[in-house]
Amino acid sequence: MKVFVVLALAIAAASAGVVPQGAPMHPRDLPNVPSIEGRITNGKTAYEGQFPYQVGLSFSSSGGSWWCGGSIIGNEYVLTAAHCTSGASSVTIYYGALVRTNAKLIQTISSSNFKQHTSYNSNTLANDISLIKTPSVAFTAYINKVLLPPIASSYSTYAGQKATASGWGKTSDSASGVTNTLQYQTFEVISVALCQSTYGSLVASAKVICIATPNKSSTCQGDSGGPLVLDSTGRLIGVTSFVSSSGCQSGLPSGFTRVTSYLDWIKTNSGISY
């Protein structure tokens, strides 16, 4: 299946007139991944309470388990990626954790409480977004929501602006062990056109945000579904979606689901808007 995804993306990109430098893949699908592994490559170590909206998500299925990130957007909702919820029967949510499983609160939720975008496409990676409905969570200094951008008639592309990603993804492409402490890094958002020069327009659509990944710093395995927050406003603008199949340290852009493209979908399915 992993090989099929890469080939399908390569064919799709070629048909769009672009030959990918490194076919895009969900971080979850990169090869040789233990079920829970690592942190953002070359990231910084977070301190307790720095990212109260960040949750860890341990998904389970009959075929195995995998680790993703997510963002608290309300007392009863976590936002994550569709490729994280896809195929899962349940998820254990870790709230307020700095050390990955040493959480202030832990909940286990069945897949009946997942709202995965019905148009998620695992070949083009389109509409890579899901909601998880949870029992109501009381907010504290360590557990709190991140604000979404307000619904408007038009939105910034965010190109050239700084945004911060966080998560427990891999430290490097070669990492085989686990790291327990939450990591983060600040990145520059690049234009959709620049991202398309790597991945083509079918993958790098207007509903995607891409970041530059210099100095071998990027999102990676274990970061899927996690937040990208605009530094200037503190609002959630992206959900970690894909990296290059060439690796997290390849220097090629990393992609996120653009939250402003799904504000109406989020409002319809959760009632949340700002």
Side-chain angles (χ1 to χ4, degrees):
M1 177 58 72
K2 294 172 186 175
V3 173
F4 171 78
V5 169
V6 175
L7 289 174
L9 285 165
I11 292 166
S15 67
V18 175
V19 178
Q21 298 176 42
M25 293 185 72
H26 293 314
R28 172 186 160 190
D29 292 329
L30 285 166
N32 302 319
V33 188
S35 59
I36 296 177
E37 182 168 348
R39 64 179 185 234
I40 286 176
T41 57
N42 293 313
K44 303 171 184 176
T45 300
Y47 58 82
E48 193 171 37
Q50 185 175 3
F51 300 104
Y53 51 81
Q54 172 87 51
V55 294
L57 302 174
S58 180
F59 287 93
S60 297
S61 75
S62 58
S65 62
W66 55 93
W67 181 269
C68 283
S71 302
I72 302 168
I73 61 168
N75 297 88
E76 297 181 335
Y77 282 95
V78 166
L79 189 68
T80 189
H83 79 267
C84 289
T85 58
S86 182
S89 56
S90 67
V91 64
T92 299
I93 306 176
Y94 296 89
Y95 294 88
L98 178 60
V99 176
R100 188 181 58 244
T101 56
N102 185 16
K104 306 293 184 186
L105 175 67
I106 299 174
Q107 295 178 338
T108 299
I109 310 295
S110 74
S111 60
S112 61
N113 292 293
F114 299 171
K115 183 64 179 182
Q116 183 172 300
H117 199 290
T118 55
S119 297
Y120 166 60
N121 187 316
S122 61
N123 292 329
T124 63
L125 318 186
N127 304 303
D128 188 18
I129 193 166
S130 284
L131 285 161
I132 301 171
K133 190 175 189 308
T134 71
S136 185
V137 173
F139 291 154
T140 69
Y142 304 103
I143 302 172
N144 211 330
K145 68 183 178 182
V146 61
L147 294 179
L148 302 175
I151 293 176
S153 56
S154 63
Y155 302 98
S156 172
T157 64
Y158 305 115
Q161 298 191 54
K162 300 292 187 181
T164 297
S166 52
W168 289 272
K170 281 179 65 174
T171 60
S172 69
D173 289 322
S174 61
S176 58
V178 299
T179 210
N180 285 329
T181 308
L182 183 65
Q183 301 288 297
Y184 71 98
Q185 186 58 274
T186 299
F187 300 94
E188 182 175 328
V189 178
I190 62 174
S191 69
V192 172
L194 184 56
C195 196
Q196 287 175 347
S197 68
T198 299
Y199 298 119
S201 57
L202 288 181
V203 171
S205 72
K207 293 184 175 183
V208 164
I209 285 178
C210 291
I211 58 169
T213 63
N215 305 315
K216 298 185 177 182
S217 183
S218 178
T219 50
C220 203
Q221 291 144 324
D223 293 321
S224 289
L228 182 70
V229 172
L230 193 67
D231 286 2
S232 62
T233 65
R235 291 180 183 262
L236 183 70
I237 61 169
V239 175
T240 304
S241 180
F242 64 86
V243 295
S244 170
S245 60
S246 298
C248 306
Q249 296 180 287
S250 66
L252 296 174
S254 292
F256 299 75
T257 303
R258 185 181 293 269
V259 171
T260 53
S261 297
Y262 296 91
L263 292 174
D264 289 336
W265 179 85
I266 292 169
K267 182 179 180 181
T268 297
N269 290 285
S270 70
I272 295 172
S273 65
Y274 300 105

